[in-house]
């Protein structure tokens, strides 16, 4: 009889008291989400055919470099895209990103 009472008491305490050791937590561990690859979503920009048509347009060949940049920006705006390159002020274009150093 004492054995049955001891088992009942142990079972009751097992249900009521928290567990021991590293598995005692009931909340899941916080994990950081994996970074999303830019290749996982479809391409949202213009196609290569559209870009080629804008940059090789015959009407842009006779323009100065500044006018050509404005032409490109206008053509991209008409297509609903942003032309992110800065307008050339002189014959030298401004580099907006640092150049890679090769050793």
């Amino acid at each position: 009889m004492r054995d049955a009472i001891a088992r009942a008491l142990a079972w009751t305490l097992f249900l009521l008291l928290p567990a021991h050791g590293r598995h005692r937590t009931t909340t899941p561990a916080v994990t950081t989400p994996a970074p999303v690859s830019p290749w996982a979503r479809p391409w949202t920009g213009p196609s290569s055919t559209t870009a080629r048509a804008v940059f090789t347009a015959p009407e842009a060949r006779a323009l100065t470099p500044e006018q050509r940049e404005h032409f490109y920006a206008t053509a991209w705006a008409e297509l609903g895209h942003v032309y992110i390159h800065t307008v050339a002020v002189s014959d030298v274009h401004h580099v907006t990103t640092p150049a890679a150093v090769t050793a």
Side-chain angles (χ1 to χ4, degrees):
M1 183 73 175
R2 285 187 293 182
D3 191 39
I5 295 172
R7 283 187 198 166
L9 181 62
W11 181 76
T12 306
L13 291 175
F14 174 75
L15 292 177
L16 296 177
L17 296 177
H20 295 46
R22 62 182 180 150
H23 296 291
R24 68 180 177 192
T25 181
T26 57
T27 58
V30 178
T31 59
T32 57
V36 178
S37 170
W39 301 107
R41 59 181 164 78
W43 176 254
T44 57
S47 66
S48 63
T49 307
T50 305
R52 193 175 297 113
V54 169
F55 289 119
T56 60
E59 57 266 17
R61 290 183 185 151
L63 300 175
T64 65
E66 291 85 9
Q67 292 172 334
R68 196 175 307 126
E69 292 289 326
H70 285 289
F71 174 82
Y72 294 156
T74 304
W76 285 115
E78 289 174 353
L79 294 171
H81 299 289
V82 177
Y83 184 68
I84 58 171
H85 299 286
T86 58
V87 176
V89 179
S90 65
D91 290 338
V92 177
H93 289 279
H94 298 286
V95 179
T96 57
T97 57
V101 177
T102 57

